[in-house]
Amino acid sequence: MPLRVAGLLSLLALLLPAVHAQGGDSDTPVWAGPKGEREIFAPRERDGFTFAVFGDRTGGPPEGLAILRQAVSEVNLLDPDFVMTVGDLVNGYNEEASWLAQAKEYKEIMDGLAMPWFPVAGNHDVYGAGGDPNDRGNLERYKDHFGPLWYSFDHAGAHFVVLFSDEALSFHRPEANQNMSAEQMEWVRADLARTRASAVFCFLHHPRWSPYYRGSNWPEVHELLRSDGRVKGVFAGHLHRYRYDEKDGIRYYTMAATGAGKGNLEESGDIHHYNLVTVREGEFKVAVVPVGSVRPGDFVYGSESDEAAALGRIGLGRFTRDILDGTPGGRDLEYWVKNPTGRAIDYLFGFPGTEPCVATLAAGESRRLAFTCPEGEPAPLAVEAIYPLHTGRVERIRVERRPLVRRAETPEVGTDGTDRVLVLDGADDCVLVPHSTELVPVGPFTLEMWVRPGAGNAGRSVLAAKTEMSAYGLFYDDEDRGEAIFFVHAAGKGYAGAAAPHDPHFAPGRWTHVAGTFDGKSVRIFVDGRSVATEVHAGNLTPNEIPLLLGADPDPHHGAVSFFQGAIDEFRLSSGARYSEDFTPAAREGPGADTIVLFHFDEPEGTIAIDSSGRFHHGEVRGGAVREARN
């Protein structure tokens, strides 16, 4: 047959209504829930058996299809009775033609298996184009081309239950959208009641028992499975990171990927793999099989997966000082690191060509280490954390941090002794302070300034900000009589804000002192020295590399938006929480040992705002901002 004709027939076979059988090779149909046109039959029975489980395919690079083909080839060599999946078989979220092409591609590879395989519906398989929850076209196509959304079958004295975990066609807000319906729950009860199997295995896409699905009704499902007494193992996917959890004798496995996109923490769960499950006399063993190797089913606990991810995300530390060229000791640096895990971690630090420094940090311990950067072009500091897993393997998590270099110089700007303020027009005026590691303090800090709002602020504007899902910001909102809001973004915790109640004293034309403090445990805001709001928020600031803006908010491209209209004066950023109770604000104050940035704005004119802290964080005055004498 000519290749062109053969290809056309294959395409027509996919597009025509699906009427042929898929799944097992017996003549016993599965007991199914909602069905489309396709029937699925149970596999033939053998004494004792093995089955394989594939992880997600969705979201990987094109070479992910080669990984899937390799998995099919290796499973054929291992010769299990059948293969289960955990959903996300196609990339989906698309229109009919693209969905059908992806389904055809996946099925052609999987049909290379020498044994039956069974589908599970994932979000990528059934969600509509663009994730529209009202578009049920792909859900119906899934039923027609893959099979029922939930079903079960018996095999060799065991029972297999496929569940559907995307009934709402959304996994946002798990408490609302990741619940098993009463219909499916009743079906599960009836299904377990009708089988005489001695062991039960369940499969679904979303691992609703993991911390990411708090608020769903999985505890009710777990109790249903536990009370049956025969449920041995539950398998899911979606996270693309392997984890093993156990509760009430039920072993929960979250598959990583079989061709899907993944992270780079291989020793703690980011792998391409499939699982091989051996069932004998109601008991089972699981082997995790990456390319050419076998690992135990509990090779990484859920807690280890979480800790290794936290170590890579927030546990490798950062510099707290910049190199100040031109000053004595200007290359003396400090590096802060905190171990976020529940066990001791060995760290290695070193500049190129130097002997590494080794430090062991106890669980939860933070430490400041001193380094001197070698002369010449600053080289990166290599930082490596060694995370031990319970299997004896280790995850080596490495990063390079290059210290920033600033010139220790102050521009020649004349002053005449007049106490001035900076007036901002609310259109494009602001002060830009270039990024420095010192501008994101480690530990407690205080941000404060004097503010005289103008009458032209509409809604929320920004007094000072170094925030883009990180660091901190001080905002002004005059929707009513004026409100100050101090936001802090803590690593791994997100934002928390202390908002001052609408205050008649914080009004256009009136000078008001505003201060925000963060002591590592709570965010607090003071208006005219009065503590007016506190929000509990523990942790350390999430660092970034964007500039600090006064009178505007940095956008993702380091531009400026949300301009403030009015006047500002005596801006100060300090290490430490300077205020813990009510105080009398000083109209003007010099720098102290804790001062990081201090702007008096006393320059008669020009585009330079001199930092009086002695740390050389001079600002660039942008737009048409002008100075005027304070009155």
Side-chain angles (χ1 to χ4, degrees):
M1 182 183 295
L3 290 177
R4 182 176 299 175
V5 175
L8 179 60
L9 290 177
S10 297
L11 178 60
L12 288 174
L14 183 64
L15 297 176
L16 288 173
V19 295
H20 59 279
Q22 173 182 313
D25 50 3
S26 75
D27 57 1
T28 304
V30 301
W31 197 60
K35 296 174 61 175
E37 298 176 357
R38 185 177 295 279
E39 286 283 358
I40 295 181
F41 294 86
R44 65 185 180 86
E45 294 188 0
R46 296 190 302 174
D47 292 332
F49 65 98
T50 59
F51 66 92
V53 187
F54 280 11
D56 292 23
R57 154 66 195 118
T58 296
E63 50 266 40
L65 292 173
I67 295 172
L68 181 63
R69 289 190 183 93
Q70 183 178 2
V72 167
S73 177
E74 291 182 7
V75 166
N76 282 339
L77 293 175
L78 295 170
D79 195 29
D81 289 39
F82 56 93
V83 174
M84 300 298 301
T85 64
V86 292
D88 276 8
L89 316 178
V90 302
N91 279 327
Y93 289 83
N94 50 13
E95 302 293 344
E96 180 178 10
S98 298
W99 190 96
L100 289 172
Q102 292 172 1
K104 178 176 183 291
E105 185 177 56
Y106 181 86
K107 292 170 69 176
E108 283 180 346
I109 296 173
M110 292 294 286
D111 286 345
L113 288 164
M115 66 288 301
W117 63 275
F118 293 84
V120 170
N123 51 290
H124 281 262
D125 306 319
V126 298
Y127 286 18
D132 181 4
N134 297 312
D135 180 357
R136 303 180 69 84
N138 287 341
L139 183 145
E140 296 302 321
R141 279 184 277 277
Y142 176 90
K143 292 191 293 184
D144 289 342
H145 293 278
F146 285 103
L149 297 176
W150 62 82
Y151 59 91
S152 68
F153 58 87
D154 289 323
H155 180 72
H159 189 62
F160 293 81
V161 183
V162 171
L163 302 174
F164 182 43
S165 59
D166 280 293
E167 292 176 275
L169 297 187
S170 173
F171 55 85
H172 299 293
R173 295 181 59 240
E175 70 277 8
N177 298 315
Q178 277 293 303
N179 294 307
M180 181 175 288
S181 67
E183 177 190 5
Q184 188 174 180
M185 190 88 79
E186 185 56 37
W187 180 90
V188 174
R189 288 192 184 93
D191 179 62
L192 293 175
R194 64 178 288 276
T195 182
R196 296 182 178 179
S198 59
V200 177
F201 299 91
C202 300
F203 303 83
L204 68 162
H205 181 62
H206 291 279
R208 289 175 172 170
W209 56 86
S210 74
Y212 308 101
Y213 295 85
R214 288 192 179 97
S216 76
N217 70 349
W218 184 257
E220 298 176 38
V221 181
H222 172 83
E223 178 58 24
L224 175 61
L225 302 181
R226 183 206 64 77
S227 63
D228 179 80
R230 296 171 294 171
V231 178
K232 306 295 183 180
V234 183
F235 297 80
H238 189 69
L239 301 183
H240 297 194
R241 167 173 290 150
Y242 192 95
R243 62 183 290 148
Y244 169 85
D245 300 276
E246 184 173 349
K247 184 176 181 181
D248 298 328
I250 299 177
R251 290 148 67 179
Y252 286 99
Y253 299 87
T254 303
M255 305 292 290
T258 309
K262 67 178 188 65
N264 56 10
L265 302 179
E266 276 202 9
E267 292 299 336
S268 50
D270 293 341
I271 58 172
H272 288 296
H273 75 111
Y274 48 88
N275 282 6
L276 190 67
V277 185
T278 303
V279 183
R280 297 286 185 269
E281 299 178 348
E283 299 299 327
F284 75 105
K285 294 182 179 180
V286 176
V288 177
V289 187
V291 178
S293 64
V294 175
R295 302 183 187 186
D298 62 349
F299 87 106
V300 57
Y301 296 144
S303 59
E304 291 176 327
S305 176
D306 295 341
E307 284 194 336
L311 192 57
R313 186 176 64 253
I314 61 175
L316 295 176
R318 58 188 177 95
F319 285 108
T320 64
R321 297 176 187 165
D322 304 328
I323 293 176
L324 285 177
D325 271 355
T327 63
R331 286 185 167 255
D332 292 341
L333 300 170
E334 181 183 78
Y335 195 89
W336 173 87
V337 66
K338 181 176 182 179
N339 173 11
T341 75
R343 62 191 68 191
I345 298 294
D346 289 333
Y347 286 85
L348 282 74
F349 306 87
F351 286 105
T354 65
E355 189 70 21
C357 166
V358 180
T360 300
L361 272 67
E365 180 186 358
S366 62
R367 193 176 301 180
R368 297 174 185 262
L369 301 107
F371 296 95
T372 298
C373 182
E375 293 297 325
E377 183 69 20
L381 179 72
V383 181
E384 185 173 61
I386 303 173
Y387 182 81
L389 298 161
H390 76 278
T391 58
R393 293 176 177 265
V394 298
E395 183 74 66
R396 307 182 78 96
I397 307 169
R398 192 175 189 276
V399 70
E400 290 187 345
R401 306 283 199 213
R402 188 182 296 273
L404 288 178
V405 180
R406 294 187 292 114
R407 292 295 302 171
E409 56 187 14
T410 298
E412 291 292 335
V413 177
T415 59
D416 57 10
T418 301
D419 184 4
R420 292 183 172 87
V421 302
L422 187 67
V423 181
L424 308 173
D425 65 4
D428 60 359
D429 291 357
C430 65
V431 178
L432 182 147
V433 185
H435 166 67
S436 160
T437 54
E438 298 175 0
L439 298 181
V440 186
V442 171
F445 74 99
T446 301
L447 186 153
E448 59 189 303
M449 60 198 304
W450 282 93
V451 180
R452 188 187 67 197
N457 292 292
R460 180 176 294 185
S461 54
V462 179
L463 302 176
K466 194 183 193 299
T467 183
E468 186 64 41
M469 298 302 292
S470 52
Y472 51 82
L474 183 60
F475 296 78
Y476 170 73
D477 192 334
D478 73 344
E479 284 290 347
D480 195 349
R481 292 169 296 178
E483 179 183 45
I485 311 167
F486 181 48
F487 284 105
V488 165
H489 193 286
K493 303 290 182 64
Y495 278 113
H502 289 301
D503 190 328
H505 297 292
F506 195 11
R510 182 186 182 278
W511 281 104
T512 301
H513 186 270
V514 183
T517 67
F518 178 56
D519 62 5
K521 297 179 181 179
S522 61
V523 183
R524 179 175 291 185
I525 190 163
F526 297 80
V527 175
D528 280 338
R530 293 180 294 115
S531 176
V532 293
T534 301
E535 185 74 20
V536 174
H537 197 48
N540 285 283
L541 283 180
T542 305
N544 61 37
E545 296 183 359
I546 63 179
L548 167 64
L549 294 184
L550 310 185
D553 192 19
D555 66 17
H557 307 292
H558 297 189
V561 294
S562 302
F563 294 93
F564 172 74
Q565 194 264 321
I568 60 175
D569 197 13
E570 296 300 309
F571 174 86
R572 178 189 297 266
L573 176 66
S574 309
S575 60
R578 299 188 77 201
Y579 313 116
S580 59
E581 55 187 28
D582 292 356
F583 64 97
T584 300
R588 182 185 181 94
E589 190 177 355
D594 60 355
T595 307
I596 300 172
V597 184
L598 176 60
F599 291 122
H600 295 304
F601 301 118
D602 289 342
E603 307 81 20
E605 58 184 11
T607 60
I608 300 296
I610 298 299
D611 172 23
S612 298
S613 72
R615 299 300 301 169
F616 307 101
H617 295 291
H618 307 302
E620 176 189 351
V621 180
R622 293 186 165 187
V626 297
R627 281 84 162 179
E628 67 177 31
R630 180 162 181 169
N631 51 47

